[in-house]
């Protein structure tokens, strides 16, 4: 009897631990674009890796697919382009269900931006209008919905809310900005408000927040239009804020902050477009303040994110909304290691896995396998994504040896693992 009871306790503990660790969403487990894969192909044939399946009914969107358990989750717009939908597919690309969860943004670039966050048997999304929603991952039924845009007085620009929800413990984080508050925490089970921060009197940005651990201190890193700031996840206290950007006088369009920062070893790397460029901040010991370590004029990431591999930051640089080049920076010094054009291509998104870069160019849809070489943009293989339509802004995703690429209504799955 005692052995049986011990077994039950262990099984329950394992189940709880598994659910706690299954927080899957925007740019991978750590929101840094680096996927913990091994045994992936180091080159592709000319036509690209093997295409396993394609679906063409995800709805228009720029968000990334998320793979959790035996399902692929994708957000998009419905056929009337008035509402946002969550669609779940099998790992073979067969539709399981499709449900409406909120209102699409009705101004510039209305396509869905929120990448789902999956925790256990729940899926969390945020609509372009600021509705924070929890859905049942098994059947898509709505568990709760909070109109965060109206409830917290969200203040946005012409691109609306573009946030992928951060879930930490029993909290779902949402950053409405405005004059009521800056960031809020909702109960992950009920949607009830747990805390609200003070207001920075600043509109929201388009950055999905980041949870870090610094000297054993948990902190949420958030962005408003002009500030980056750190929040105590238990109380909602803003511990520090920073807005001394050296390039603010040159910025033609304030508040276009999109990219989740990179955190490593007490430092935060921040890069955004429209002349904001790149900055490295260092947290003090108790995470109550930051100082500027260096800045760099050569990398100004637009929508594609950045990755840190072997001490080097890789990303693409904004010239204008239609063009850009590719850049490598030294994490410690900010030195530019290379800054180069990709022949026939523009800027785009980047992720990393198994010590390789996956660079997805946004205009022509060229996807390249790139060796992370600090001396040059070292393309090994490349091919073009020819399904879907619109700009290629969705970030690729890698899970269990499969590369998932979303382009507009379409999602493709490619086999990239060695047999």
């Amino acid at each position: 009897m005692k052995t049986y009871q011990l077994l039950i306790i262990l099984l329950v503990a394992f189940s709880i631990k598994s659910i706690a660790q299954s927080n899957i969403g925007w740019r991978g487990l750590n929101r840094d674009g680096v996927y913990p894969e091994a045994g992936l192909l180091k080159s592709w044939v000319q036509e690209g890796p093997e295409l396993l399946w394609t679906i063409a009914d995800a709805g228009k969107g720029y968000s990334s697919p998320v793979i959790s358990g035996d399902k692929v989750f994708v957000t998009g717009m419905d056929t009337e382009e008035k509402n946002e939908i969550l669609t779940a597919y099998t790992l073979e690309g067969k539709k399981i269900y499709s449900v409406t969860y909120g209102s699409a943004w009705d101004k510039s670039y209305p396509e869905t931006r929120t990448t789902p966050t999956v925790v256990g048997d729940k899926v969390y999304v945020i609509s372009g209008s600021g509705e924070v929603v929890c859905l049942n991952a098994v059947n898509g039924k709505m568990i709760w919905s909070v109109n965060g845009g109206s409830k917290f007085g969200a203040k946005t620009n012409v691109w609306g809310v573009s946030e992928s929800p951060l879930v930490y413990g029993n909290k779902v984080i949402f950053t409405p900005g405005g004059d009521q508050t800056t960031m809020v925490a909702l109960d992950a089970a009920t949607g009830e408000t747990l805390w609200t921060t003070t207001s920075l009197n600043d509109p929201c940005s388009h950055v999905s927040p980041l949870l870090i651990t610094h000297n054993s201190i948990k902190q949420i890193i958030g962005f408003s239009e002009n500030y980056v700031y750190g929040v105590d996840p238990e109380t909602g206290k803003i511990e520090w804020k920073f807005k001394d950007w050296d390039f603010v006088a040159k910025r033609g369009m304030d508040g276009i902050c999109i990219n989740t920062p990179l955190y490593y070893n007490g430092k935060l790397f921040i890069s955004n477009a429209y002349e904001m460029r790149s900055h490295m901040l260092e947290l003090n010991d108790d995470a109550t303040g930051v100082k500027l370590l260096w800045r760099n004029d050569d990398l100004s990431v637009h929508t594609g994110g950045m990755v840190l591999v072997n001490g080097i930051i890789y990303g693409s640089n904004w010239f204008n909304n239609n063009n850009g080049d590719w850049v490598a920076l030294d994490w410690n010094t900010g030195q530019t290691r290379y800054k180069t054009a990709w022949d026939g291509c523009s800027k785009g998104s980047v992720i990393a896995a198994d010590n390789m870069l996956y660079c997805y160019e946004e205009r022509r849809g060229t996807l390249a396998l790139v060796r992370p070489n600090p001396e040059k943009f070292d393309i090994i293989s490349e091919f073009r994504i020819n399904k879907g339509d619109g700009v290629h802004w969705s970030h690729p995703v890698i899970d269990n040896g499969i590369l998932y690429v979303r382009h507009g209504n379409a999602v493709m799955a490619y086999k990239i693992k060695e047999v």
Side-chain angles (χ1 to χ4, degrees):
M1 185 65 176
K2 290 183 178 179
T3 301
Y4 177 77
Q5 290 174 333
L6 178 60
L7 178 60
I8 294 296
I9 292 171
L10 290 173
L11 287 172
V12 170
F14 178 78
S15 175
I16 293 172
K17 182 178 180 182
S18 297
I19 292 173
Q21 291 179 338
S22 63
N23 189 332
I24 302 167
W26 169 241
R27 286 180 62 80
L29 292 173
N30 300 308
R31 299 198 159 196
D32 60 1
V34 179
Y35 292 84
E37 299 276 324
L40 303 183
L41 296 171
K42 299 302 181 184
S43 65
W44 302 330
V45 296
Q46 185 174 359
E47 60 271 23
E50 178 186 354
L51 177 62
L52 298 176
W53 51 260
T54 302
I55 61 97
D57 59 355
K60 291 184 178 180
Y62 302 127
S63 58
S64 298
V66 168
I67 300 85
S68 178
D70 59 356
K71 296 181 181 65
V72 179
F73 297 95
V74 188
T75 59
M77 300 172 74
D78 64 10
T79 53
E80 289 77 28
E81 301 183 3
K82 299 293 185 182
N83 296 303
E84 296 188 8
I85 58 174
L86 173 77
T87 305
Y89 300 91
T90 68
L91 298 182
E92 292 74 38
K94 304 299 182 182
K95 182 184 289 189
I96 303 170
Y97 61 78
S98 185
V99 295
T100 298
Y101 62 81
S103 301
W105 182 241
D106 60 0
K107 296 182 176 64
S108 182
Y109 290 100
E111 290 86 347
T112 303
R113 281 92 79 190
T114 187
T115 294
T117 300
V118 183
V119 183
D121 60 357
K122 294 182 175 65
V123 182
Y124 299 90
V125 288
I126 301 174
S127 75
S129 299
E131 295 145 300
V132 188
V133 181
C134 175
L135 302 163
N136 185 304
V138 177
N139 55 31
K141 291 183 178 180
M142 187 175 292
I143 298 173
W144 56 259
S145 176
V146 173
N147 192 329
S150 60
K151 182 174 183 177
F152 302 108
K155 186 176 181 181
T156 69
N157 57 32
V158 296
W159 295 287
V161 176
S162 302
E163 186 175 354
S164 300
L166 174 68
V167 181
Y168 169 61
N170 66 330
K171 303 174 184 69
V172 181
I173 306 302
F174 172 53
T175 51
D179 56 11
Q180 294 184 27
T181 181
T182 297
M183 177 181 285
V184 305
L186 305 179
D187 189 293
T190 66
E192 295 298 317
T193 303
L194 296 178
W195 52 249
T196 63
T197 69
T198 56
S199 171
L200 295 175
N201 294 307
D202 209 28
C204 70
S205 70
H206 307 293
V207 177
S208 297
L210 175 69
L211 178 71
I212 68 168
T213 303
H214 174 65
N215 291 338
S216 300
I217 300 168
K218 299 286 187 183
Q219 193 167 91
I220 300 169
I221 307 301
F223 251 96
S224 64
E225 185 172 275
N226 293 288
Y227 290 93
V228 59
Y229 53 89
V231 175
D232 184 328
E234 301 305 326
T235 66
K237 178 185 177 183
I238 297 178
E239 298 286 0
W240 58 267
K241 57 184 184 289
F242 180 91
K243 71 167 186 176
D244 297 327
W245 314 110
D246 294 88
F247 303 99
V248 69
K250 299 180 182 179
R251 291 172 69 183
M253 299 175 71
D254 279 354
I256 315 305
C257 300
I258 296 173
N259 301 291
T260 301
L262 297 178
Y263 172 79
Y264 175 68
N265 197 26
K267 299 174 184 176
L268 282 168
F269 175 73
I270 296 163
S271 186
N272 287 290
Y274 305 104
E275 304 297 341
M276 185 175 176
R277 307 300 179 184
S278 295
H279 296 71
M280 181 68 82
L281 306 181
E282 184 175 45
L283 287 137
N284 62 13
D285 287 345
D286 60 0
T288 58
V290 295
K291 65 179 180 181
L292 177 66
L293 289 184
W294 54 258
R295 60 184 183 269
N296 181 285
D297 290 0
D298 292 327
L299 180 59
S300 191
V301 178
H302 188 203
T303 65
M306 48 269 180
V307 293
L308 173 64
V309 179
N310 300 327
I312 303 295
I313 301 161
Y314 296 94
S316 68
N317 176 55
W318 174 90
F319 290 165
N320 52 55
N321 283 353
N322 297 307
N323 202 7
D325 57 11
W326 293 76
V327 179
L329 306 180
D330 186 284
W331 174 270
N332 290 314
T333 66
Q335 175 191 3
T336 301
R337 300 299 299 269
Y338 68 69
K339 178 176 167 63
T340 184
W342 180 357
D343 290 345
C345 296
S346 180
K347 54 188 169 60
S349 57
V350 60
I351 62 171
D354 199 16
N355 202 36
M356 296 294 284
L357 307 178
Y358 295 76
C359 300
Y360 184 29
E361 189 268 340
E362 68 182 40
R363 291 296 164 189
R364 299 175 71 246
T366 303
L367 184 59
L369 185 64
V370 178
R371 182 179 292 114
N373 182 345
E375 304 305 320
K376 65 176 182 177
F377 189 55
D378 194 2
I379 296 175
I380 305 302
S381 305
E382 61 181 87
F383 74 105
R384 288 185 66 181
I385 300 298
N386 56 18
K387 306 290 185 181
D389 55 17
V391 67
H392 299 256
W393 274 345
S394 178
H395 295 201
V397 172
I398 298 175
D399 182 81
N400 198 28
I402 308 297
L403 173 67
Y404 296 87
V405 183
R406 193 260 181 85
H407 180 215
N409 288 297
V411 178
M412 292 134 278
Y414 295 90
K415 182 180 179 181
I416 59 167
K417 190 176 181 68
E418 297 173 349
V419 178

